[in-house]
Amino acid sequence: MLRKIIYSMLIFTGYASAVLSAGAQIFYPEWQIGYHRTETVQPDKWYPSVVPGAVQLDVMKAENYKQPWWYADNVHQFDWMEEVWFTYRTTFEHPKLKTGERLFFHSKGIDYRFKIILNDVTVWEQEGMFTYVEVDLTDRLQARNELRIVLYPVPTLGIKVNPDNPDQYRQNARESVKPAVSYGWDWHPRCVTRGIWDETYLITHPPVRLSDVAVSYTLNDDLTQAHLKADVTGMQLSGKTYRWTLTSPNGKTVLEKQGQFSSDTSTVEADLESPSLWWPNGYGNPDLYTSAFVLMNNNRESDRRTSRIGFRRIRLVMNEGAWKEPQPFPLTRAVAPSGLEVNNRRIFGKGSNWVHPEVFIGTITAERYREQLILAKNAYFNIVRVWGGGIVNKESFFDICDETGILVWQEFPLACNNYPDKPEYLRTLEQEAASIVKRLKRHACLAIWSGGNELFNSWGGMTEQSYALRLLNSICYRLDPQTPFIYTSPFYGVGHGHYLFYDPAIDREVFQWMMEAHRTAYTEFGVPALSNTDALKRFIPAADLFPPRENSAWKTHHAYGAWRKSSWLEWDTYCKYFGEPESLDELVRNSQLLQSEGYKFIFEEARRQKPYCSMAINWCYQEPWPAAANNSLICWPNEPKPAYYDVAGSLRPTMASLRIPKFTWSEGEELTCDLFLLNDAYEPVAPVLLTVVLKHDGKETELLKWECKGAEPFRNVQGPTVHFRLPHMKSKQFTVQVKAESKTEYESEYTLLRPYAGV
């Protein structure tokens, strides 16, 4: 059965340049799904299927698996599905087609390798989940039709791994372009998803139509003029006329051009004077124009392509001071550029690593993207790094980033593996990468292309000479030369890690290693904490909640053995600072305090290292399923931890900041800390009186006053150093606060500890 929508007027969905012609019909099939052990054996049973979705969820519902799937150890119910075939099927009557109309099957995402069969004839085969599918079915239609999509088993190299070392699982993904994360990671269960994961339908197309209108532009050096190009392709366009308009952010038509096509491929050009620029969050408005390209046939509007344009220029440039390195002989190259320049202005990149917000990516909605990205915007983020072990997100993700001014560092689906030079793999990678670049390059938010995650490390083993990375570089240069490309993160000069508040192997806290670091950017770093107490109670059985045990759901949800034996729970660290907890609430509270103070220090220290340092992006922002302990700022599905709010405080454009060299302080010890005024904004900061005070046991003691003379645009100012002999204190915790006279929005506060007496 088909659900049919008939469009009597021209409309478009979002701003993805996907528009329906007048009178077009979209049919949303009702799908069934079945599984089978070999390709030729047919399913014994057929079950209703939700599309978009995942095969695991359909089988779970039909066969009454334990639910919810993310509770306790229920995720292991899906393990058997990796080696079997799945088939979707639907039936439909021959639709009524007007003269010259064609019926197409269209899908924005099928995971992962599949073939499409219409009435027992294979009409399409594909490996790759990020290339849109559009197949003309017209010539093989019958009065009644059966359409099947056959999914191959999960791609794997058959590498057997130790379940206690989940990092090894990802090796099975190294010869496919399927995201490695679903094979198991330290924050993601082993659950290798498959299925129709994005919008999928049947659609009629008229004989005269636009196939694509790709609008691009170049800006002159001082950004006062934009030269636009619309590369148009279509069917039977010759002799037809067009009208192209551009509407400003305030709704005013600022460009209008008309003409006639001479062929089915054409390029239309125009100039726009004094365009309003698109700016990232915190540096201006993310202004967006609307382009409408209209096809006229017999003096009537017959087709339209609408898209949004944000005029901006983004570059990666050398960091200030980077050309001075290295100084001694023998000389080698300087560190690579990692400074973000937007519209001829340096900006400081503040943000987080983005992972897809659901294990089953077919269930991700625009609403989920929006609520998480609004939280990111409210935390002063201006960039997210879309990590290479995960998916390339749905179109709505990029639309919302365009609207909110959040830059996107987009990695291709390569992570922590040595991807081969084999022709079969490279063919699929080329197909997928070209599709990704063509789809995303129009977005104002797109800031950086990256080959993938941690490919130059020992566990990656790749270099600039690896064919896969040379291929990706060439594709990005050919299709989107104005967007910066990097081979991987980290690259030379940039740092990943550390991921702990305290590492007993080196007897160092986050305070020490971060102060000693000298990097042009910090694009991964983490401090773990437990999820919120209420969240833990939703997915860990009550009998297992406290104390945590390794042989329980705590391990399934990454508290034990996720990265090393004790991660991410870090029980010994919490006992070191606070003593053994007596309740779950106490354990959660202590872990989250360390996460908050650790993240505050790293983000602010990275900002203090500006202008040599240009970026701070933590690992990670959110979770795809409920983690008992993790480095994330947001608990699944969308519940901020306390650290989210503290990070937001540390990313304010202008703020007072203290560099405190350690976390625990003893009575009689001299407290030392350096005072800064941090300014990432392009407005000068007026003089301000800053006062540092010590708070403990209900008392408040003034430690230092600084009559700061203000700060120049986009510049920090270092002030004096506090030296104060700590008094006797009864409380286990105390705080140091920086007050700002008449500027409370600059104020900051830090929680410190007295040493735990049991140590």
Side-chain angles (χ1 to χ4, degrees):
M1 183 179 293
L2 299 176
R3 292 179 289 120
K4 180 173 71 173
I5 301 176
I6 300 177
Y7 290 83
S8 58
M9 298 185 66
L10 298 170
I11 70 167
F12 60 92
T13 303
Y15 291 88
S17 191
V19 187
L20 303 177
S21 305
Q25 302 177 80
I26 286 188
F27 303 92
Y28 287 95
E30 292 185 1
W31 295 93
Q32 294 179 315
I33 198 166
Y35 55 85
H36 39 116
R37 294 291 174 180
T38 67
E39 182 178 3
T40 56
V41 173
Q42 294 303 300
D44 294 329
K45 298 178 182 178
W46 293 94
Y47 303 127
S49 177
V50 176
V51 172
V55 297
Q56 288 95 334
L57 299 180
D58 292 332
V59 173
M60 177 186 70
K61 182 177 180 181
E63 298 188 351
N64 298 314
Y65 282 20
K66 290 182 288 185
Q67 297 191 46
W69 68 268
W70 40 263
Y71 181 78
D73 300 327
N74 289 352
V75 67
H76 294 308
Q77 297 173 119
F78 303 136
D79 291 350
W80 65 270
M81 297 185 188
E82 293 182 14
E83 299 178 359
V84 303
W85 298 69
F86 281 88
T87 295
Y88 287 89
R89 75 173 182 182
T90 188
T91 58
F92 61 95
E93 305 294 329
H94 194 309
K96 294 181 180 180
L97 300 175
K98 299 176 184 177
T99 303
E101 274 191 331
R102 312 287 293 182
L103 182 70
F104 286 77
F105 170 82
H106 183 86
S107 179
K108 294 182 179 179
I110 303 175
D111 180 8
Y112 166 72
R113 184 183 174 193
F114 57 93
K115 59 182 178 179
I116 299 172
I117 301 172
L118 176 65
N119 300 325
D120 297 325
V121 176
T122 299
V123 295
W124 189 261
E125 293 189 65
Q126 180 172 308
E127 178 179 351
M129 58 188 287
F130 301 117
T131 298
Y132 285 6
V133 179
E134 187 166 73
V135 183
D136 188 344
L137 306 180
T138 313
D139 295 336
R140 295 191 179 276
L141 290 176
Q142 301 175 4
R144 185 168 180 80
N145 302 275
E146 182 185 66
L147 184 67
R148 295 191 179 206
I149 303 173
V150 180
L151 304 181
Y152 286 69
V154 166
T156 178
L157 299 179
I159 298 172
K160 300 299 182 182
V161 300
N162 179 355
D164 291 327
N165 187 0
D167 282 350
Q168 296 176 347
Y169 282 124
R170 64 173 180 254
Q171 298 176 31
N172 283 291
R174 70 173 182 241
E175 293 189 11
S176 72
V177 194
K178 185 169 175 61
V181 69
S182 63
Y183 290 81
W185 223 267
D186 55 73
W187 46 272
H188 190 293
R190 181 177 178 88
C191 185
V192 191
T193 58
R194 275 183 293 164
I196 302 175
W197 69 277
D198 208 345
E199 191 175 4
T200 297
Y201 47 82
L202 303 176
I203 182 172
T204 61
H205 286 310
V208 180
R209 65 184 177 97
L210 297 169
S211 300
D212 187 37
V213 177
V215 180
S216 60
Y217 64 86
T218 55
L219 292 166
N220 63 354
D221 289 343
D222 62 3
L223 313 179
T224 58
Q225 185 185 69
H227 181 71
L228 292 94
K229 288 174 55 178
D231 292 312
V232 184
T233 57
M235 302 294 292
Q236 299 185 30
L237 298 184
S238 183
K240 309 302 187 298
T241 59
Y242 64 82
R243 183 176 71 252
W244 183 22
T245 61
L246 191 68
T247 305
S248 70
N250 62 11
K252 180 182 177 181
T253 299
V254 294
L255 184 153
E256 186 167 3
K257 191 161 186 175
Q258 300 183 46
Q260 186 176 54
F261 291 111
S262 59
S263 69
D264 287 346
T265 302
S266 182
T267 297
V268 183
E269 301 186 51
D271 290 317
L272 176 66
E273 300 295 331
S274 303
S276 179
L277 300 178
W278 184 96
W279 288 96
N281 186 32
Y283 290 93
N285 295 323
D287 284 340
L288 294 168
Y289 288 73
T290 300
S291 166
F293 199 98
V294 178
L295 173 65
M296 307 296 293
N297 189 13
N298 296 324
N299 296 319
R300 296 181 60 186
E301 183 175 318
S302 64
D303 207 351
R304 172 188 294 252
R305 289 294 181 271
T306 303
S307 60
R308 293 192 297 188
I309 303 171
F311 294 103
R312 86 291 181 272
R313 175 183 291 154
I314 298 177
R315 293 169 171 161
L316 275 182
V317 297
M318 290 296 287
N319 297 49
E320 189 168 324
W323 281 121
K324 297 178 182 178
E325 299 176 348
Q327 292 183 350
F329 287 100
L331 292 179
T332 182
R333 65 159 295 174
V335 295
S338 67
L340 276 169
E341 183 185 270
V342 182
N343 300 334
N344 298 340
R345 275 187 171 181
R346 299 287 184 101
I347 75 165
F348 191 88
K350 297 183 286 194
S352 193
N353 281 267
W354 178 277
V355 300
H356 43 273
E358 296 286 347
V359 166
F360 295 109
I361 56 180
T363 66
I364 302 172
T365 63
E367 291 74 24
R368 174 57 54 78
Y369 281 141
R370 184 172 296 277
E371 63 187 10
Q372 293 197 338
L373 288 168
I374 291 298
L375 280 173
K377 177 183 178 181
N378 292 343
Y380 303 100
F381 288 7
N382 55 38
I383 189 168
V384 291
R385 173 182 173 236
V386 182
W387 174 74
I391 68 164
V392 178
N393 287 278
K394 298 179 181 180
E395 193 68 25
S396 56
F397 169 82
F398 298 93
D399 287 338
I400 297 165
C401 287
D402 285 344
E403 297 166 11
T404 53
I406 296 178
L407 296 167
V408 175
W409 167 333
Q410 179 63 56
E411 299 197 332
F412 291 99
L414 290 76
C416 300
N417 275 323
N418 193 333
Y419 291 86
D421 295 343
K422 294 182 178 180
E424 311 83 49
Y425 167 72
L426 294 174
R427 279 195 296 270
T428 303
L429 179 64
E430 182 173 18
Q431 165 203 291
E432 294 288 87
S435 298
I436 292 166
V437 173
K438 289 176 183 178
R439 175 165 75 91
L440 301 188
K441 67 179 182 178
R442 68 178 185 83
H443 285 280
C445 63
L446 182 65
I448 299 171
W449 291 113
S450 170
N453 177 70
E454 295 182 0
L455 302 176
F456 287 176
N457 303 76
S458 60
W459 47 89
M462 301 180 76
T463 73
E464 291 93 339
Q465 297 306 311
S466 298
Y467 283 10
L469 296 180
R470 292 171 62 187
L471 173 65
L472 292 174
N473 192 359
S474 68
I475 290 171
C476 289
Y477 180 77
R478 175 168 51 89
L479 299 178
D480 189 22
Q482 296 186 57
T483 301
F485 174 87
I486 59 175
Y487 286 102
T488 187
S489 183
F491 52 94
Y492 187 41
V494 172
H496 276 199
H498 206 321
Y499 304 92
L500 299 173
F501 185 90
Y502 170 76
D503 188 347
I506 57 176
D507 192 25
R508 308 287 275 173
E509 292 176 333
V510 59
F511 302 87
Q512 290 91 53
W513 69 255
M514 186 62 193
M515 280 197 300
E516 295 165 359
H518 181 65
R519 298 289 180 265
T520 57
Y522 302 92
T523 55
E524 278 193 23
F525 52 85
V527 181
L530 274 70
S531 289
N532 299 337
T533 301
D534 289 344
L536 291 168
K537 291 178 178 178
R538 288 194 290 269
F539 61 88
I540 293 181
D544 294 334
L545 272 171
F546 191 82
R549 292 178 292 107
E550 185 173 359
N551 58 339
S552 72
W554 283 91
K555 183 172 183 178
T556 303
H557 292 265
H558 318 299
Y560 293 97
W563 175 49
R564 56 182 195 168
K565 184 175 178 60
S566 61
S567 65
W568 292 109
L569 181 61
E570 299 300 322
W571 177 273
D572 290 344
T573 294
Y574 307 143
C575 292
K576 165 185 168 63
Y577 288 105
F578 305 100
E580 190 163 315
E582 297 181 356
S583 67
L584 179 64
D585 284 339
E586 182 183 355
L587 175 61
V588 169
R589 184 169 59 251
N590 293 341
S591 76
Q592 293 185 345
L593 174 61
L594 293 188
Q595 184 179 53
S596 289
E597 295 302 321
Y599 269 140
K600 283 162 62 176
F601 187 87
I602 302 172
F603 273 108
E604 292 179 29
E605 179 61 23
R607 294 181 64 184
R608 290 189 286 263
Q609 294 176 15
K610 190 184 78 175
Y612 183 80
C613 178
S614 62
M615 207 179 305
I617 304 176
N618 82 291
W619 182 269
C620 58
Y621 182 54
Q622 82 288 53
E623 305 167 344
W625 86 311
N630 198 350
N631 292 276
S632 63
L633 300 174
I634 307 289
C635 298
W636 183 87
N638 194 49
E639 183 180 324
K641 295 177 184 175
Y644 163 83
Y645 300 101
D646 285 294
V647 167
S650 293
L651 298 184
R652 289 168 288 164
T654 305
M655 62 173 293
S657 175
L658 285 175
R659 176 187 280 156
I660 305 174
K662 62 177 185 173
F663 190 52
T664 57
W665 298 82
S666 302
E667 176 183 330
E669 188 175 5
E670 184 178 69
L671 173 70
T672 61
C673 47
D674 301 322
L675 181 56
F676 289 77
L677 183 69
L678 305 180
N679 182 38
D680 290 339
Y682 272 90
E683 293 76 35
V685 179
V688 60
L689 177 63
L690 300 178
T691 304
V692 183
V693 298
L694 174 71
K695 293 182 176 181
H696 68 94
D697 302 327
K699 303 175 184 178
E700 187 172 303
T701 305
E702 182 180 304
L703 306 184
L704 180 144
K705 281 188 181 295
W706 176 32
E707 293 184 357
C708 176
K709 295 181 180 180
E712 296 178 2
F714 200 63
R715 289 288 173 178
N716 302 330
V717 180
Q718 184 168 0
T721 299
V722 171
H723 293 277
F724 183 78
R725 191 72 58 185
L726 288 173
H728 172 72
M729 291 182 279
K730 297 179 182 178
S731 57
K732 296 179 181 179
Q733 300 179 8
F734 62 97
T735 61
V736 181
Q737 182 183 15
V738 186
K739 295 184 177 181
E741 187 176 272
S742 303
K743 285 289 185 179
T744 56
E745 66 271 24
Y746 294 176
E747 296 183 348
S748 300
E749 186 169 279
Y750 307 87
T751 298
L752 302 172
L753 295 186
R754 293 168 51 218
Y756 171 58
V759 176

